[in-house]
Amino acid sequence: MNRGKLRMFLVVFLAFSMHMSLYSQNKSIYKDRTRSESDRVGDLIRQMTLAEKIGQMNQLNFEKITTGIEEKVKTGEVGSLLNVTNPVEVNKLQEIALKQSRLGIPLIIGRDVIHGLHTIFPIPLGQAASFDDELVKNAAHIAAVESREKGINWTFAPMLDISRDPRWGRIAESLGEDPYLAGRLGAAMVRGFQGNTLSDPTSIAACLKHFVGYGAAEGGRDYNSTNIPIHLLRNVYLEPFRKSVEAGAATVMTSFNDNDGVPASGNSFLLKQVLRKEWKFDGFVVSDWASMSEMIPHGFAADRKEVASLSANAGLDMEMVSQTYIQNLSQLVKEGKVPIQTIDELVKNILRIKFRMGLFENPFAPIGDPGKTYSQAHLAAAREAAIKSAVLLKNNNQLLPLDKGKKIAVIGPMADAPHDQMGTWVFDGQKEHTITPVKALQTEYTHINYVYEPALAFSRDKNKARFEKAVEAAKQADVAVVFLGEESILSGEAHSLSNINLIGVQSDLLAALQAAHKPVVLVVMAGRPLTIERDLPNADAVLYNFHPGTMGGPAILDLLYGKANPGGKLPVTFVREVGQIPMYYNHNNTGRPGPKNPMKLDDIPLEAKQSSLGNSSFYLDSGRDPLFPFGYGLSYTSFVYTDLKLSADKIQPGQKLAVSVTLTNSGKYEGTEIAQLYVQDIVGSIARPVKELKGYQKISLQPGESKKVIFELSAGDLAFYGLDLIKKSEKGLFNVWVGGNSDSGLKSSFSLQ
Ligand code: BGC
């Protein structure tokens, strides 16, 4: 080789090896955990084929391990699976994804872990009654720990649908009717699921659902249309989502409903304008189960190809189970109907979260680890949650707490219903682990003298044959404790009811027990606020539990016997009659608000003149007010609010107002009060709610003890979307209340200048 040729060879060789080393560096950027998230996402997307990109957007439901599903993971046709719960199977599939698929992209494994995986906490509506951010956060953390043991790394929770209709079965899964409460607790749940970092081995990704408006389904009929006008959407329905996005939620799920004609899975205003542009959300959006293909029966898309085009162009990243993306997107890209840049953006959103979750480094379940599922600590936390989620609605003559020396008759179908006590959305909680009230009497409260007569086998049972026995049992005892409510199947998804009285003949059972002439304690376990007005006269005390979960039994006994003092408050309004629905505390005023005590139907004189009752807003038969207002709940002790003070009577934008009261425990027991701050913006550019919750604090006090409770209110807290649809606070006069529920409290006012 002459020198010229040698030089030439060296130059080519050097260039080639530089190219190769750059290539191999580039190739491994996305696998290099020291590189930035955006470098890794960018590097990976550059190497992906269109088919691999579309595969990431495809989520399938897992039924069992087959070569079919293994093949799909290997070829990269699937980015996520839901409902794989066997850790061995999870690991097998992740191994294939990491080692056998071309680019080694791990799967994200989803499951509905709604109120616990195995250790079941109270249903979310119950947790909301605790008004306890820490408790809710801890419950979510425990659910995450148990999930990761199974290889589940993504939950479809929290559900943030504002729920003002108890006929809707999914009210059980909600955090109630109020956007402030749902927002605070939703954010707490996100923090609990996701921990400090998503890549922590005890964290799972949260999913805010259902975006948006699903809880406002017409008539409470699940999946139905909603008609939420823009101001209400902005000020109420979107608010808890905004707060939970701010808390760092990794994913969001679109809802089934169409709002004003536009199904959420094809709504670019929601996904692009609100979520991405205004809120700067950088996680990914998944559809609900087939909510994309359901745009065909909605009459919004003609066929599956149009579905895929509508959703992709609206900004929906991952499709749950209906597979219109995997079948149509590549053709749609070829036809120029979905730009490749759009696909890249959607896939990047998914990859970003997979990197953030640390799945490229370790997507595996820790096989062989004894784990913490059903650990003593988890059960103790579930018990505490059930205690703090119970609401005392009535307690005549201080019947509760019960005297341990008295004999009780335990009656009713919910006294020993280990499956139903757990509530809706329980796939993994085992009833063998549930402790019912009867089991707690047998195992823990063994010193209590009791007789047990269920009277009805289950809540819908209509057989009254054993009523006599129940009355006999009550006669033999000092007090009857009657456990009524709903089986878990009567609430939850697709389980709406048009009649929400105690189901079956349970009210008749309660009434029949009057014949025993003994004090009656009614303990309810239900998935919704039932219409119990007709039952109240037949019970001296009422303890209301939204399905309390695995440890509901001992929690209820702790409360009945005064080991714990009830402190929960209602996260939803309790209506008197189903016909009052919708009824919620933060409604707008009418021009003709009804009187507090309107004339009763039977007192209306015959042939009374048309306008003799006053032309105002109320029902002739059920009046103006609910049975129990939002925020209501009693305690064995009593609390007195005095001395409401405002640090100023005027505030400027940017300033803060301190609102303080003195809270005194004026009763005999140590107790915890949930002090609530409400505000009314008296005049606005649009009509404003009569009251809005703006703060709450849990205060524990010994008998006779007083504490000063201080709330801070800033001008920003008063901001809302007014007529011009720009979020800001408007100057003017405000009323402010601090009290123990939405219908009471000390009142003052201030102005915003
Ligand atoms: C529900 C979602 C749930 C999904 C997956 C749907 O039917 O609406 O809330 O996460 O199924 O199970």
Side-chain angles (χ1 to χ4, degrees):
M1 203 184 280
N2 66 29
R3 284 178 62 177
K5 272 192 177 162
L6 183 63
R7 190 178 301 135
M8 187 64 152
F9 173 78
L10 280 174
V11 168
V12 170
F13 177 77
L14 260 174
F16 177 74
S17 44
M18 266 173 71
H19 172 83
M20 282 313 287
S21 95
L22 265 180
Y23 174 75
S24 62
Q25 262 177 32
N26 272 341
K27 199 178 161 204
S28 58
I29 287 177
Y30 78 92
K31 290 198 170 159
D32 180 353
R33 65 186 338 164
T34 66
R35 301 299 293 254
S36 74
E37 187 181 277
S38 67
D39 282 356
R40 297 180 81 183
V41 171
D43 180 53
L44 180 51
I45 198 99
R46 269 192 296 278
Q47 301 189 42
M48 291 170 82
T49 62
L50 178 59
E52 283 165 339
K53 289 174 187 172
I54 296 169
Q56 286 303 305
M57 301 165 74
N58 185 30
Q59 184 190 47
L60 295 176
N61 184 41
F62 176 86
E63 273 146 21
K64 57 178 191 283
I65 284 267
T66 58
T67 43
I69 193 78
E70 288 182 11
E71 200 50 34
K72 285 200 163 93
V73 175
K74 203 182 292 176
T75 52
E77 280 172 70
V78 54
S80 169
L81 290 169
L82 73 157
N83 298 330
V84 200
T85 51
N86 178 340
V88 175
E89 292 176 337
V90 170
N91 286 357
K92 184 165 186 207
L93 293 163
Q94 293 288 26
E95 182 92 17
I96 296 173
L98 274 192
K99 309 231 168 101
Q100 297 181 36
S101 75
R102 193 178 73 89
L103 293 165
I105 307 174
L107 296 161
I108 176 164
I109 307 284
R111 179 99 168 144
D112 292 278
V113 183
I114 306 300
H115 49 116
L117 184 78
H118 288 286
T119 305
I120 300 301
F121 283 74
I123 55 172
L125 191 60
Q127 292 186 40
S130 75
F131 282 63
D132 193 325
D133 305 36
E134 266 313 300
L135 181 149
V136 165
K137 180 177 161 202
N138 190 37
H141 169 70
I142 287 173
V145 168
E146 295 193 0
S147 299
R148 281 300 291 265
E149 286 176 5
K150 298 283 175 292
I152 297 162
N153 48 38
W154 182 23
T155 178
F156 305 120
M159 188 185 102
L160 301 175
D161 299 311
I162 293 301
S163 303
R164 294 170 164 182
D165 193 331
R167 293 170 297 184
W168 189 50
R170 296 193 86 167
I171 194 171
E173 206 187 329
S174 82
L175 296 166
E177 75 186 28
D178 180 68
Y180 177 84
L181 180 65
R184 248 176 88 166
L185 297 182
M189 253 188 212
V190 168
R191 294 192 181 100
F193 286 130
Q194 298 194 168
N196 292 334
T197 71
L198 264 179
S199 60
D200 191 279
T202 61
S203 296
I204 58 177
C207 183
L208 314 180
K209 71 189 190 185
H210 304 84
F211 198 63
V212 64
Y214 182 41
E218 268 186 344
R221 295 185 294 278
D222 210 355
Y223 312 124
N224 259 265
S225 297
T226 61
N227 287 295
I228 309 172
I230 189 70
H231 289 103
L232 194 63
L233 187 72
R234 290 282 197 183
N235 290 325
V236 174
Y237 286 86
L238 284 171
E239 191 48 22
F241 287 89
R242 190 189 62 77
K243 271 204 192 133
S244 304
V245 165
E246 225 171 74
T251 72
V252 169
M253 182 188 291
T254 57
S255 57
F256 286 122
N257 57 297
D258 74 277
N259 187 46
D260 199 15
V262 184
S265 298
N267 191 328
S268 66
F269 165 73
L270 291 173
L271 299 181
K272 286 185 171 164
Q273 171 66 24
V274 176
L275 194 57
R276 299 277 175 199
K277 207 160 158 217
E278 295 177 19
W279 297 351
K280 314 274 178 262
F281 175 68
D282 74 349
F284 73 85
V285 178
V286 64
S287 76
D288 201 347
W289 184 286
S291 67
M292 281 175 46
S293 60
E294 288 171 13
M295 292 198 292
I296 300 171
H298 267 288
F300 192 71
D303 53 31
R304 292 171 59 83
K305 190 170 168 193
E306 194 181 357
V307 163
S309 164
L310 281 170
S311 290
N313 286 316
L316 206 163
D317 307 304
M318 184 185 279
E319 177 173 20
M320 189 186 284
V321 307
S322 49
Q323 301 189 59
T324 68
Y325 274 169
I326 196 96
Q327 290 159 5
N328 299 286
L329 274 182
S330 119
Q331 184 59 25
L332 284 163
V333 171
K334 265 193 216 131
E335 291 170 13
K337 292 191 177 132
V338 177
I340 184 68
Q341 294 81 352
T342 299
I343 303 282
D344 283 355
E345 284 314 306
L346 303 182
V347 176
K348 278 191 207 165
N349 294 332
I350 297 168
L351 296 177
R352 193 176 304 123
I353 295 304
K354 288 192 173 181
F355 283 117
R356 208 171 284 174
M357 290 172 72
L359 295 179
F360 284 81
E361 285 71 46
N362 180 15
F364 299 110
I367 305 273
D369 186 326
K372 296 208 172 88
T373 296
Y374 289 127
S375 69
Q376 282 312 312
H378 289 191
L379 294 172
R383 180 174 184 155
E384 191 198 335
I387 289 171
K388 292 187 172 163
S389 300
V391 187
L392 182 66
L393 294 177
K394 178 174 180 182
N395 194 16
N396 278 8
N397 307 320
Q398 297 274 309
L399 174 59
L400 295 176
L402 295 172
D403 179 341
K404 290 192 188 75
K406 296 240 164 95
K407 179 172 178 184
I408 61 170
V410 174
I411 295 166
M414 294 301 288
D416 196 22
H419 170 79
D420 292 317
Q421 178 182 309
M422 290 192 287
T424 186
W425 280 113
V426 173
F427 296 137
D428 307 280
Q430 291 136 330
K431 68 175 185 179
E432 295 70 24
H433 285 268
T434 302
I435 308 186
T436 64
V438 167
K439 191 159 176 201
L441 283 165
Q442 291 162 351
T443 56
E444 192 177 333
Y445 277 80
T446 48
H447 49 290
I448 303 293
N449 184 6
Y450 74 97
V451 38
Y452 172 45
E453 172 48 59
L456 295 166
F458 48 92
S459 70
R460 282 169 296 164
D461 183 5
K462 294 204 182 79
N463 183 354
K464 296 184 177 179
R466 295 180 73 98
F467 276 22
E468 254 324 295
K469 286 210 160 129
V471 174
E472 274 316 303
K475 278 186 183 157
Q476 285 163 33
D478 299 307
V479 181
V481 185
V482 191
F483 293 84
L484 305 178
E486 289 182 303
E487 291 147 69
S488 58
I489 193 66
L490 298 177
S491 62
E493 184 175 349
H495 295 98
S496 296
L497 288 170
S498 61
N499 177 330
I500 53 168
N501 295 337
L502 276 168
I503 201 133
V505 294
Q506 295 183 97
S507 290
D508 297 347
L509 170 62
L510 196 67
L513 293 171
Q514 292 296 301
H517 302 292
K518 292 290 163 71
V520 172
V521 179
L522 168 61
V523 180
V524 181
M525 294 192 216
R528 53 165 64 78
L530 296 166
T531 40
I532 52 167
E533 185 174 33
R534 64 190 50 68
D535 306 300
L536 291 182
N538 295 328
D540 301 277
V542 179
L543 184 68
Y544 207 96
N545 305 268
F546 297 106
H547 289 129
T550 304
M551 296 299 282
I556 288 170
L557 288 181
D558 288 349
L559 290 164
L560 293 178
Y561 285 100
K563 192 168 165 201
N565 189 348
K569 301 272 189 172
L570 297 179
V572 276
T573 299
F574 270 50
V575 295
R576 296 175 187 280
E577 288 293 340
V578 76
Q580 288 184 314
I581 299 167
M583 186 173 261
Y584 46 92
Y585 85 94
N586 43 357
H587 58 87
N588 289 354
N589 222 353
T590 68
R592 296 183 177 189
K596 185 131 189 82
N597 294 306
M599 194 174 271
K600 299 249 174 353
L601 198 56
D602 291 339
D603 300 335
I604 300 173
L606 288 177
E607 299 193 2
K609 277 216 196 124
Q610 160 116 20
S611 55
S612 62
L613 309 179
N615 290 331
S616 65
S617 179
F618 64 93
Y619 291 104
L620 290 180
D621 53 353
S622 60
R624 184 196 74 175
D625 292 328
L627 183 60
F628 297 110
F630 173 87
Y632 182 83
L634 303 170
S635 165
Y636 296 154
T637 194
S638 47
F639 295 101
V640 181
Y641 290 79
T642 52
D643 214 15
L644 172 66
K645 284 207 183 92
L646 273 52
S647 58
D649 58 3
K650 296 183 183 70
I651 53 168
Q652 311 280 344
Q655 281 186 343
K656 287 201 160 123
L657 180 74
V659 182
S660 64
V661 287
T662 302
L663 182 66
T664 304
N665 179 344
S666 55
K668 295 192 301 212
Y669 300 90
E670 179 190 348
T672 301
E673 169 71 334
I674 300 167
Q676 301 157 43
L677 171 78
Y678 293 91
V679 165
Q680 179 191 22
D681 187 348
I682 301 173
V683 179
S685 62
I686 57 169
R688 306 287 294 128
V690 293
K691 267 184 190 180
E692 290 177 285
L693 184 69
K694 293 287 177 187
Y696 56 81
Q697 290 181 41
K698 292 190 86 162
I699 314 289
S700 297
L701 294 172
Q702 297 295 328
E705 196 191 355
S706 291
K707 257 187 204 157
K708 191 167 173 181
V709 184
I710 307 170
F711 291 96
E712 262 197 0
L713 202 57
S714 71
D717 296 330
L718 306 171
F720 67 102
Y721 289 87
L723 197 58
D724 57 7
L725 281 172
I726 296 173
K727 191 173 185 185
K728 59 177 180 313
S729 38
E730 295 180 1
K731 64 179 197 275
L733 207 59
F734 292 78
N735 284 326
V736 57
W737 294 260
V738 178
N741 64 63
S742 64
D743 194 31
S744 74
L746 302 174
K747 181 179 176 189
S748 184
S749 60
F750 66 92
S751 66
L752 176 68
Q753 309 244 293

